[in-house]
Amino acid sequence: MLRALSLLTLCLLPAAAHAADQVGLSALDDEAYLNSRNGVVQLICENEATGQVYLSRAVVLDIPGLAGDFDILLAARHAVMDRNEERICHVRGEPLRRGQISEIETSDPAANEFGEFSQDWAIIRTSGRLDASISRLRAVAYGGREQGQLSMLRAAMQGEPCQITPAPDQIVEPTLIFHDCYARPGLSGSPLLAQIDGEAFVIGVQLGEYVMFNEGGRQYSVGRRLDDDFLQALIDFVAQEAGP
């Protein structure tokens, strides 16, 4: 099932949904990939107490009708938080007056191992509007079948189509997407996109990998699905930031 994000008279409302069996997920074609890939920005975050610096990715979201002088980004929680403490973050290459991160919304960290990635998302607000050349990408809640292809955007790089793969038998966590996209440290927060009815949509955010030692060390790339609960959190956050 798909729910798109729309903004009407400063209130966020869910748009009409398609049934899951009517939606075929496919990777982005070359044109859609080229048009979308500069919607990925780099985040530089610092733990003020230790001075440790972290590099990750985020995607700039298209919020229809939002007129505020700021942008809304989707990122990985572990990139912008030290457990329950926010790191000091900014968008690389942007002046601080607009690239500084001013607000962060996340869920609580999970207490169990296999639920950890399910809470690993962050919605963040920049201090100002980022450069106009940066693409803003639309998000959609995806609750469809575990089949098809997607694309993981990596800034300034062409990405090969990725296959959605079945989850390991012992991981029962419907908020996660398992796939075979190339992943490495520093790519957390990269968006997972699908081309739906000819248009590109963000359907998830890359988080990391599971290594299953009982399967001979097999690695599974994993992202957080943008489900209805996440979409509602995004709707609430944007409505709050937009103000009355």
Side-chain angles (χ1 to χ4, degrees), residues 47-70:
N47 181 316
E48 192 173 23
T50 66
Q52 196 166 7
V53 176
Y54 302 83
L55 178 66
S56 64
R57 303 293 194 271
V59 58
V60 186
L61 296 179
D62 176 12
I63 310 294
L66 181 62
D69 187 24
F70 57 87

Side-chain angles (χ1 to χ4, degrees), residues 5 60-62 64 136-140 193 199-203:
L5 191 67
V60 186
L61 296 179
D62 176 12
R136 275 71 176 174
L137 305 180
R138 288 171 295 174
V140 67
L193 277 80
E199 299 185 49
F201 290 92
V202 180
I203 64 168

Side-chain angles (χ1 to χ4, degrees), residues 2-119:
L2 294 167
R3 290 178 66 206
L5 191 67
S6 63
L7 187 65
L8 182 62
T9 61
L10 298 183
C11 294
L12 285 168
L13 302 171
H18 298 277
D21 58 3
Q22 296 175 329
V23 176
L25 292 185
S26 62
L28 305 190
D29 59 30
D30 289 345
E31 181 179 3
Y33 195 99
L34 289 172
N35 290 339
S36 301
R37 68 181 182 180
N38 74 336
V40 181
V41 297
Q42 292 183 321
L43 289 181
I44 298 177
C45 297
E46 181 181 358
N47 181 316
E48 192 173 23
T50 66
Q52 196 166 7
V53 176
Y54 302 83
L55 178 66
S56 64
R57 303 293 194 271
V59 58
V60 186
L61 296 179
D62 176 12
I63 310 294
L66 181 62
D69 187 24
F70 57 87
D71 273 302
I72 301 295
L73 281 59
L74 170 62
R77 185 187 195 282
H78 70 262
V80 299
M81 301 283 292
D82 282 301
R83 201 61 183 172
N84 291 312
E85 295 294 327
E86 295 181 6
R87 296 173 182 153
I88 299 173
C89 302
H90 68 274
V91 177
R92 184 178 183 179
E94 292 280 339
L96 291 182
R97 70 179 183 276
R98 65 188 189 205
Q100 190 81 27
I101 302 308
S102 61
E103 297 289 340
I104 299 176
E105 173 74 17
T106 72
S107 60
D108 295 329
N112 63 83
E113 178 185 358
F114 290 148
E116 181 181 0
F117 278 145
S118 68
Q119 307 302 325

